[in-house]
Amino acid sequence: RKEVEQDPGPFNVPEGATVAFNCTYSNSASQSFFWYRQDCRKEPKLLMSVYSSGNEDGRFTAQLNRASQYISLLIRDSKLSDSATYLCVVNGSPSGGYNKLIFGAGTRLAVHP
Amino acid sequence: DGGITQSPKYLFRKEGQNVTLSCEQNLNHDAMYWYRQDPGQGLRLIYYSQIVNDFQKGDIAEGYSVSREKKESFPLTVTSAQKNPTAFYLCASSIVGGGQNTEAFFGQGTRLTVV
C-alpha cells in the first residue's frame, strides 16, 4: 500500500462547480498534512495546511479525519485558474520521526468554460 | 529575499557521466529534501536530511548520492548507476518538527536530460 493515495482524476468540471478531492494515508503517526498545487512544468506551491478541526480559506476547505486517516479538499465556485494538479502531502515517517514529507501522486483538475 | 535556489534549470548529461545538481536555501531551515518527478507522475522522495552531516534514503535512493556539509546546501549527485535519470528534480526545505508550520518550500527545479 502506498503511504499516501489520492483520487486518480482527472476531474473535468465547468466553471462554478464544486469539486472534492480525497486522500488517504497509511502512517497513523503522521503529524501534519498539507495540500499543494502544481501548475504544468512548475514547482509545487503550498495551497493550505490541514488542521485537525478543519479549515477554510476563501473557496477552499480542508478537512482531516484522523480515525479514518483521510484528508479532503473542497473547492467551491471553481474558476478557470483553478486548473492544476493538487497534491496531498503528509509529514511523518513509519518510525514516528518527523519531516519525511510524502507526496501523493496528485489529482489533475481541469475547469472549462 | 529568502528562498531556495536550484541550478541549473536545464541540464544535459551523456550516458555514463555523473552530474551534480545544486540546491541552496537561505531560509535557515534544518530539513532539506530531494524529489524526482516523471511526466504525469507525482513526486518521489530520493533523499532527505534533518540536520547537517546527516541524511536518510527516501523511496528511490539507488543511483543517487547526497551530502549535507552546510545547513544551506544539499547537493544531489546523479551517478552513472541511475539507469533512467531523465526527470524533473525538485529540492525543498522546511523547518523540523511535527506542527502545521512544517510545510516545504520548493526551488524551481532542474530538468535533467540524458543524451
Side-chain angles (χ1 to χ4, degrees):
Chain A
R1 181 184 174 189
K2 290 183 180 178
E3 291 184 79
V4 179
E5 295 198 70
Q6 292 186 241
D7 285 348
F11 284 55
N12 294 297
V13 303
E15 277 186 287
T18 295
V19 61
F21 301 139
N22 303 315
C23 174
T24 57
Y25 60 96
S26 60
N27 178 17
S28 60
S30 298
Q31 296 293 317
S32 49
F33 311 88
F34 310 94
W35 283 101
Y36 276 71
R37 170 192 170 128
Q38 185 176 27
D39 293 293
C40 188
R41 299 179 68 82
K42 298 286 188 181
E43 75 275 20
K45 293 187 177 178
L46 180 69
L47 177 66
M48 58 196 303
S49 300
V50 185
Y51 300 120
S52 296
S53 56
N55 49 299
E56 187 174 306
D57 182 3
R59 298 182 292 110
F60 299 85
T61 300
Q63 292 194 317
L64 168 65
N65 183 323
R66 284 191 183 272
S68 302
Q69 296 178 204
Y70 171 95
I71 306 159
S72 66
L73 176 68
L74 185 75
I75 305 175
R76 292 181 299 277
D77 189 23
S78 298
K79 311 292 184 190
L80 294 175
S81 58
D82 293 334
S83 298
T85 297
Y86 291 84
L87 302 164
C88 172
V89 184
V90 174
N91 184 0
S93 68
S95 63
Y98 296 137
N99 287 104
K100 182 184 179 185
L101 290 173
I102 301 298
F103 282 71
T107 302
R108 193 161 63 86
L109 172 65
V111 181
H112 57 82
Chain B
D1 285 338
I4 181 164
T5 302
Q6 289 186 244
S7 62
K9 191 171 181 180
Y10 298 96
L11 187 58
F12 296 88
R13 189 195 93 174
K14 292 183 179 179
E15 280 192 45
Q17 284 183 337
N18 291 357
V19 64
T20 297
L21 281 58
S22 169
C23 179
E24 304 277 334
Q25 53 98 1
N26 60 2
L27 300 167
N28 200 31
H29 286 166
D30 284 303
M32 296 188 74
Y33 315 82
W34 274 105
Y35 294 90
R36 168 183 172 140
Q37 188 173 36
D38 293 286
Q41 304 296 314
L43 278 67
R44 291 186 289 167
L45 184 62
I46 303 173
Y47 270 98
Y48 61 111
S49 168
Q50 293 199 51
I51 196 168
V52 173
N53 292 322
D54 183 62
F55 46 82
Q56 305 295 324
K57 291 183 179 180
D59 300 318
I60 56 165
E62 185 175 350
Y64 300 97
S65 65
V66 293
S67 63
R68 188 85 188 276
E69 296 176 1
K70 298 187 299 181
K71 186 176 184 177
E72 302 79 16
S73 179
F74 192 40
L76 173 74
T77 296
V78 184
T79 74
S80 56
Q82 170 49 237
K83 297 306 177 189
N84 187 20
T86 295
F88 186 38
Y89 290 88
L90 287 156
C91 179
S93 70
S94 75
I95 67 171
V96 173
Q100 293 298 339
N101 56 345
T102 55
E103 71 268 24
F105 295 82
F106 282 87
Q108 290 189 314
T110 294
R111 294 195 179 275
L112 174 64
T113 303
V114 173
V115 296

